[in-house]
Amino acid sequence: MNLSMKWLSDYVQVDVSPRQFSEAMTMSGSKVEGYEIEGSEISNVVVGKILNIEKHPDADSLVVCQVDVGEEAPLQIVTGATNVFEGALVPVAKHKSKLPGGKEIKKGKLRGVESNGMLCSLGELGLTANDFPYAIEDGIFILEEDCRIGQDIQSAIGLDDTCVEFEITSNRPDCLSVLGLAREAAITFDKPFQMPSPTVGKGIGNIHDDLKVTVENPQLCLRYTARMVKNVRIAPSPRWMRERLRASGVRPINNIVDITNYVMLEYGHPMHAFDYKYVKGGQIVVRNAREGETIMTLDGVERSLTPDMLVIADAEKPSAVAGVMGGEYSGIMEDTDTVIFEGACFFGPSVRITAKKLGMRTESSSRFEKGLDPNTCMSAIQRACQLVEELDAGDVVEGIIDVNNSTISPRRIPFDAGWINRFLGTDIPEEQMRAILTRLECRFEPGVVIPPSFRADLEDKADIAEEVARFYGYNNIPSTVLRGTAEATVTPRQQFERTISDTMLAQGLSEVVTYSFISPKYYDKIRLPKESPLRRSVTILNPLGEDTSIMRTTTLPSMMEVLTRNYNNRNPQAGLFEIATEYHPVEGQELPDETANLTIGMYGGDCDFFTLKGMIENLLHVLNIPDWEVTAETGDPTFHPGRCAVITCGGETLGILGEVHPKVCENYGIGCRCLLARLPVAALFDHVGAPRQYRALPRFPASTRDLALVCDDSLPALSIEKAIRKAVGGILESLELFDLYKGAQVPEGKKSLAYTLVMRAPDRTLTDEEADKAIAKALRILEGMGVTLRA
């Protein structure tokens, strides 16, 4: 929001520098981004009067002017302009003057004749014909202003306003107006606020004889007011209005259009003016667009409408997109004779959705989408008609059409000065609190405070406390030590995830965080089959780009992207993990299912399939998940078919791990082996075993046996371990694989596995006979699996 300080002075007198004003407003909660003084790039440019014009002796296209600039002697200036004449008042850039864009003017000679400056055009002063409609753009600016010779051009033409830029938060639409910021400034600087009360004289005729308004959707149109102006006299706006619009970043057009923009900036309530001759049937109908309907908007683009969009229509067709932009034939033309002023309030979310769908965010939509006060409609439309009378832009018609569907009732918020002081850590007298809130136009009843309707952000006691704090002064609130105790608790699931993270960190991995938004091309890079249900993703309606257009259904591409980045940065090795979320759409359900997964990625160093498998086995041990199994997996196209496995428990899959398929590595441009694992956190959590029971250190000695076994190369070592554990039973204290051998000493297609068994009885010394019997039982079971002792 750009605020003209000249405009602000109509409602509150603040006699401080722009810097002091900006700092104080920021401290009271209205953040200032910066300020700019109009004409600050112009220096040493004054009003001059042309006394005499003679032809240049050596150039037919040049003339020599003698110009009075209020000094002892006139200045001689050579110009090629054809619109100058004796007696004309013109802007004169003297020797060593500066113009917008860093242009510097110095005296010199033109075709041998001395020129002590330059006569300026509108463009050279940074202006256009919209700012001064009587001037021409391709010649010298001939001044028709009430100014004196030698006067600085900034003050002579009103190019000396200060514009302050505010960052207005979405919960304060009332501050998207001059009046809203004036109200804030008045309280900040403890100055009187002069709230205008627009008045309109008795008009001609009666609007109800010429216009009928029907609102078919009262949920989306909270209020609709209309007034009519006949005998419209289109003309340029007066200079004071053009100056204020220019300072606010709005281009002046003509008096009627400028009035609607002026009121929008002043009251923060968008308005629209319809040319009555294009309102077919003398009817305005506020309705939803019909299927297949289109409208040519004021910007000359034909736009397709959908039934969820609200439009302002006549008896035949849409004339405007409600709250966004008018139609091509709703604008003001040179031959416009009768105008209908619209002051309406539309449902903010509907305006925002419509503007997004049509791809057009306007000054109007940016205000409506934040939620405006329906009560401002009447003041805004009355102000517009008041300006019509002041500018003699037409004859106001008697009567107002007001369709009010608003059900907003005053909010009643408990008021407790003691609670506010405890909440803020202050000792502010209640009388001071009441004074602050009263100046904010709040009302009081016993035990409650009632905020004004334009302050929709005030909903609770904390909001009232914030208003007190910001005008009491944040810098006046003493620093205090935090009181009270925190009693937050961690849920079992949260503790479980923390244990996973701690275990992964303890094993030397680094935690990463990746985006949930990915590109559909990522599925191709991991060789996901075309028919895979994982390709059905949630699509982002307004993505930042194609690379972030969908929500991921698998975390593997995200981890591969991080590994690729590390590889391209020439990191020799990487071991990473993340507890990341996947998003799976559900038929008939608005929101997708969100599932957390532990994802591990590794490359480089000495890591291989067994390194990753060992880390996961250790994690399962720490999480106390018993009876899990590892089986080979050959059908997942993301992984190497001979170096991939699935972990299961009780028939449910706990995860997949393995070496990445070489073609996937090639897709990512990684020139070494990569390892990936993905384990659903919910599945791990569901299979946590009973809490571990700790017992005292053993009092009796252990018996140790080594077994060297020969088996088929395809037989998993885990199957052998489970058979041994089952056969030996409760006396088995530990079982460790210490050697794996393939070579000349064992037959082809076989492998040798060597285990160390530690056996111990908790209540006695274990005899050799008991140990040998347990080993013999294990060998009998293994023999049934094709496993024999190595000779």
Side-chain angles (χ1 to χ4, degrees):
M1 174 68 188
N2 294 330
L3 175 66
S4 159
M5 293 299 289
K6 284 186 178 180
W7 200 346
L8 177 72
S9 65
D10 283 358
Y11 313 113
V12 59
Q13 296 296 323
V14 180
D15 300 321
V16 295
S17 69
R19 182 180 182 87
Q20 291 172 320
F21 176 81
S22 301
E23 291 176 349
M25 292 294 286
T26 298
M27 287 301 296
S28 67
S30 302
K31 184 183 177 184
V32 174
E33 288 290 301
Y35 63 87
E36 181 180 354
I37 301 175
E38 281 188 324
S40 59
E41 292 184 297
I42 300 173
S43 64
N44 207 23
V45 180
V46 299
V47 175
K49 182 178 181 180
I50 299 177
L51 302 176
N52 181 53
I53 300 177
E54 296 180 353
K55 287 185 174 295
H56 192 288
D58 294 324
D60 293 337
S61 60
L62 299 177
V63 293
V64 181
C65 303
Q66 303 298 321
V67 185
D68 181 5
V69 293
E71 299 177 354
E72 292 183 3
L75 294 181
Q76 178 172 287
I77 296 178
V78 179
T79 181
T82 59
N83 68 318
V84 294
F85 56 88
E86 293 181 358
L89 295 178
V90 294
V92 180
K94 300 192 293 184
H95 176 55
K96 292 186 177 180
S97 61
K98 292 184 178 180
L99 296 175
K103 186 176 181 180
E104 189 171 350
I105 305 300
K106 295 181 180 180
K107 65 181 180 180
K109 290 185 177 182
L110 290 176
R111 299 293 291 271
V113 176
E114 184 175 312
S115 181
N116 295 299
M118 184 182 76
L119 307 184
C120 299
S121 66
L122 280 171
E124 286 161 339
L125 295 175
L127 302 170
T128 68
N130 295 102
D131 300 305
F132 292 91
Y134 63 78
I136 60 175
E137 290 191 286
D138 56 353
I140 299 303
F141 182 14
I142 306 299
L143 297 168
E144 296 181 7
E145 307 302 311
D146 183 13
C147 52
R148 66 180 187 278
I149 296 172
Q151 182 180 359
D152 282 341
I153 196 65
Q154 293 98 316
S155 62
I157 63 175
L159 196 63
D160 56 352
D161 199 353
T162 298
C163 179
V164 182
E165 181 184 359
F166 285 86
E167 179 187 325
I168 307 300
T169 54
S170 59
N171 68 327
R172 290 299 306 273
D174 59 298
C175 286
L176 286 170
S177 66
V178 177
L179 288 175
L181 291 173
R183 187 181 290 108
E184 294 285 308
I187 307 174
T188 299
F189 293 97
D190 195 21
K191 300 288 185 180
F193 172 56
Q194 302 169 5
M195 180 67 187
S197 180
T199 56
V200 184
K202 184 173 176 58
I204 63 172
N206 191 307
I207 188 173
H208 296 282
D209 296 336
D210 300 303
L211 183 67
K212 179 183 178 181
V213 175
T214 304
V215 177
E216 294 184 358
N217 191 332
Q219 287 75 35
L220 299 187
C221 180
L222 306 180
R223 191 170 189 177
Y224 194 97
T225 61
R227 293 211 67 169
M228 182 178 286
V229 177
K230 291 186 175 180
N231 305 320
V232 170
R233 296 174 280 278
I234 302 295
S237 300
R239 175 178 144 181
W240 61 267
M241 180 175 282
R242 299 196 307 269
E243 286 180 4
R244 293 181 177 186
L245 290 175
R246 182 184 67 230
S248 301
V250 176
R251 177 171 60 93
I253 298 175
N254 59 52
N255 50 6
I256 297 297
V257 175
D258 291 351
I259 284 172
T260 61
N261 288 330
Y262 189 90
V263 173
M264 178 186 70
L265 293 171
E266 187 175 40
Y267 281 81
H269 205 99
M271 294 193 62
H272 191 68
F274 292 97
D275 190 332
Y276 180 69
K277 66 173 173 285
Y278 294 114
V279 181
K280 302 300 181 182
Q283 295 183 48
I284 288 179
V285 182
V286 185
R287 60 172 173 81
N288 288 74
R290 299 189 176 102
E291 192 69 49
E293 224 168 18
T294 62
I295 185 173
M296 182 75 74
T297 48
L298 283 171
D299 56 1
V301 178
E302 185 172 9
R303 303 182 186 276
S304 298
L305 304 174
T306 56
D308 60 333
M309 297 179 181
L310 193 69
V311 297
I312 313 300
D314 56 23
E316 299 177 1
K317 63 185 184 307
S319 300
V321 182
V324 182
M325 184 179 285
E328 181 181 25
Y329 297 107
S330 69
I332 305 303
M333 314 294 181
E334 290 294 330
D335 62 345
T336 297
D337 177 74
T338 302
V339 164
I340 300 169
F341 280 123
E342 167 195 283
C345 186
F346 304 109
F347 185 54
S350 173
V351 174
R352 177 173 174 79
I353 291 170
T354 298
K356 293 286 285 183
K357 283 186 176 181
L358 295 178
M360 47 191 300
R361 193 164 190 264
T362 61
E363 284 285 339
S364 175
S365 68
S366 66
R367 284 170 164 80
F368 275 122
E369 68 187 25
K370 294 175 175 63
L372 298 183
D373 179 16
N375 294 330
T376 310
C377 292
M378 189 64 70
S379 299
I381 204 167
Q382 289 290 82
R383 175 59 167 157
C385 292
Q386 179 188 41
L387 289 170
V388 168
E389 292 184 340
E390 289 181 6
L391 274 56
D392 191 28
D395 300 322
V396 179
V397 175
E398 186 69 22
I400 304 173
I401 294 178
D402 182 12
V403 182
N404 191 352
N405 301 309
S406 172
T407 58
I408 297 176
S409 58
R411 292 178 304 282
R412 308 169 71 84
I413 303 172
F415 178 75
D416 183 346
W419 183 90
I420 292 175
N421 275 324
R422 291 192 299 274
F423 183 72
L424 298 177
T426 56
D427 191 19
I428 306 172
E430 181 175 341
E431 294 75 15
Q432 188 173 354
M433 294 184 188
R434 289 179 175 268
I436 290 172
L437 296 172
T438 300
R439 297 202 64 188
L440 286 169
E441 301 183 30
C442 295
R443 295 184 293 112
F444 287 91
E445 290 183 0
V448 298
V449 57
I450 303 173
S453 59
F454 57 81
R455 289 301 303 274
D457 60 305
L458 301 183
E459 299 177 338
D460 193 76
K461 292 191 297 181
D463 300 320
I464 299 300
E466 181 184 6
E467 296 302 296
V468 171
R470 66 192 187 95
F471 291 113
Y472 173 73
Y474 292 121
N475 54 327
N476 295 324
I477 298 177
S479 301
T480 56
V481 178
L482 288 174
R483 297 187 295 270
T485 58
E487 298 180 356
T489 58
V490 178
T491 66
R493 173 63 180 266
Q494 289 173 327
Q495 185 57 55
F496 183 75
E497 292 188 6
R498 291 184 182 184
T499 302
I500 292 175
S501 295
D502 291 344
T503 305
M504 292 294 100
L505 291 170
Q507 295 185 106
L509 301 185
S510 299
E511 187 169 11
V512 297
V513 177
T514 59
Y515 289 114
S516 299
F517 309 141
I518 65 171
S519 167
K521 296 178 181 177
Y522 283 12
Y523 295 146
D524 296 327
K525 295 178 76 172
I526 65 168
R527 303 177 73 232
L528 200 63
K530 297 295 183 183
E531 66 280 1
S532 173
L534 293 179
R535 285 185 177 267
R536 182 171 170 265
S537 308
V538 176
T539 303
I540 308 299
L541 292 178
N542 54 339
L544 297 175
E546 194 277 339
D547 286 346
T548 55
S549 60
I550 62 172
M551 305 289 284
R552 65 188 175 197
T553 58
T554 172
T555 55
L556 296 182
S558 301
M559 181 57 72
M560 285 300 298
E561 289 291 325
V562 181
L563 292 176
T564 302
R565 195 172 303 117
N566 278 269
Y567 181 82
N568 292 337
N569 288 337
R570 298 177 183 251
N571 290 333
Q573 61 185 47
L576 312 172
F577 81 94
E578 178 186 17
I579 299 178
T581 304
E582 297 174 350
Y583 304 84
H584 301 275
V586 179
E587 191 71 33
Q589 185 173 302
E590 184 177 1
L591 297 176
D593 279 349
E594 300 183 20
T595 58
N597 293 269
L598 170 63
T599 312
I600 305 172
M602 305 170 65
Y603 75 83
D606 297 327
C607 67
D608 57 13
F609 172 85
F610 295 105
T611 306
L612 178 59
K613 178 173 174 286
M615 287 184 173
I616 294 175
E617 288 177 346
N618 181 59
L619 173 66
L620 297 176
H621 173 74
V622 172
L623 298 178
N624 193 24
I625 298 176
D627 302 328
W628 46 267
E629 295 184 3
V630 179
T631 55
E633 171 62 47
T634 60
D636 194 314
T638 303
F639 293 91
H640 191 296
R643 299 166 187 163
C644 177
V646 171
I647 301 176
T648 58
C649 183
E652 182 179 357
T653 300
L654 296 186
I656 187 170
L657 71 150
E659 184 178 311
V660 178
H661 198 287
K663 290 186 178 180
V664 174
C665 290
E666 183 180 334
N667 291 339
Y668 282 94
I670 299 180
C672 65
R673 291 182 176 182
C674 285
L675 300 162
L676 285 179
R678 174 184 165 276
L679 297 91
V681 174
L684 296 175
F685 186 71
D686 290 342
H687 287 83
V688 172
R692 287 193 175 93
Q693 299 293 324
Y694 292 92
R695 54 179 182 264
L697 292 173
R699 298 167 50 200
F700 302 97
S703 179
T704 304
R705 298 287 189 277
D706 289 340
L707 290 178
L709 306 172
V710 176
C711 64
D712 291 338
D713 194 15
S714 60
L715 183 65
L718 184 61
S719 299
I720 296 176
E721 291 179 12
K722 286 190 172 184
I724 295 174
R725 291 182 184 279
K726 182 178 180 180
V728 178
I731 63 172
L732 181 63
E733 187 174 87
S734 68
L735 175 64
E736 181 181 356
L737 175 67
F738 67 87
D739 183 58
L740 167 64
Y741 174 74
K742 296 178 185 179
Q745 303 300 319
V746 296
E748 186 174 350
K750 300 285 186 177
K751 62 183 175 183
S752 172
L753 301 173
Y755 290 92
T756 292
L757 289 76
V758 177
M759 294 169 284
R760 191 195 310 265
D763 55 351
R764 67 187 187 283
T765 299
L766 196 66
T767 65
D768 288 340
E769 182 181 353
E770 289 177 301
D772 291 340
K773 185 177 179 180
I775 294 297
K777 183 180 179 182
L779 291 175
R780 286 196 301 272
I781 293 176
L782 291 173
E783 187 176 352
M785 299 168 56
V787 181
T788 60
L789 279 173
R790 181 177 173 184

